Amino acid sequence: FPTRRSSDLGSDTKNMMSQKSKITLLAADDDPIFRRMLVKMIRSIDDRIVIVEAEDGISAIQGIRAHQPDVVLLDVHMPRCDGPDVLKYIPQPLPTIAFLTSGPSIETLQRVISLGAANYIAKENSIEDLRMFLHSLIVPLLTPKSAAGRVSHP
């Protein structure tokens, strides 16, 4: 696997490798209390995250089309269009998709994974588990990578 040093790269490539200034995340959940908790946790991770909220599947589709988020959190069961069906109506390539679900069944988990979900988590998990889950989705998108694809540390 050949590797290149950043000094071998042009200035445009170096700029692309620099830390992202902002990412956009769409959080779709029909439970306003749970959605507010998610938003609060997301804001505590990094102040470079632009958060778009949606209360059902239709508003999630509209938000994804309008804002082209880097990360989408979808509740599996929502009114007007459930989370997995949202994916049928958004442009390709898909952003990072993660599903939130209450009492996940094996069938539900298999369905969301087959649709391209990066991950999923049960809402019944602890607050700390949810925070770690969100952190694992978001931080890699905000962290600069070296030309070899490794995460660089300051």
Side-chain angles (χ1 to χ4, degrees):
F1 225 64
T3 60
R4 292 195 265 170
R5 296 182 311 270
S6 62
S7 60
D8 297 336
L9 304 173
S11 62
D12 289 341
T13 305
K14 286 181 188 177
N15 291 337
M16 287 177 11
M17 288 173 23
S18 67
Q19 197 167 4
K20 279 189 94 168
S21 59
K22 290 188 182 206
I23 66 164
T24 302
L25 180 145
L26 181 129
D29 197 297
D30 59 318
D31 179 343
I33 295 170
F34 187 80
R35 193 172 64 244
R36 276 193 294 263
M37 181 192 67
L38 274 178
V39 167
K40 187 175 181 178
M41 278 195 258
I42 294 162
R43 284 200 173 111
S44 74
I45 293 172
D46 198 292
D47 61 358
R48 295 172 291 165
I49 305 165
V50 176
I51 303 168
V52 178
E53 295 183 50
E55 72 270 356
D56 60 38
I58 299 297
S59 60
I61 294 166
Q62 293 167 340
I64 292 166
R65 288 178 177 168
H67 299 281
Q68 300 177 347
D70 301 288
V71 178
V72 176
L73 300 175
L74 291 169
D75 184 6
V76 170
H77 304 289
M78 291 187 290
R80 300 189 340 147
C81 184
D82 72 7
D85 286 339
V86 165
L87 300 184
K88 297 176 188 175
Y89 302 101
I90 61 174
Q92 300 287 331
L94 293 175
T96 298
I97 304 287
F99 283 95
L100 308 160
T101 184
S102 295
S105 68
I106 296 296
E107 294 81 19
T108 299
L109 298 179
Q110 289 172 335
R111 180 177 179 212
V112 299
I113 290 169
S114 72
L115 291 170
N119 218 327
Y120 60 87
I121 190 164
K123 292 179 181 182
E124 296 83 4
N125 278 291
S126 71
I127 298 292
E128 188 54 32
D129 286 346
L130 284 169
R131 184 175 284 114
M132 289 172 38
F133 175 77
L134 293 169
H135 192 270
S136 72
L137 291 172
I138 296 167
V139 171
L141 296 175
L142 292 167
T143 306
K145 295 182 180 181
S146 71
R150 293 182 305 268
V151 174
S152 60
H153 298 282

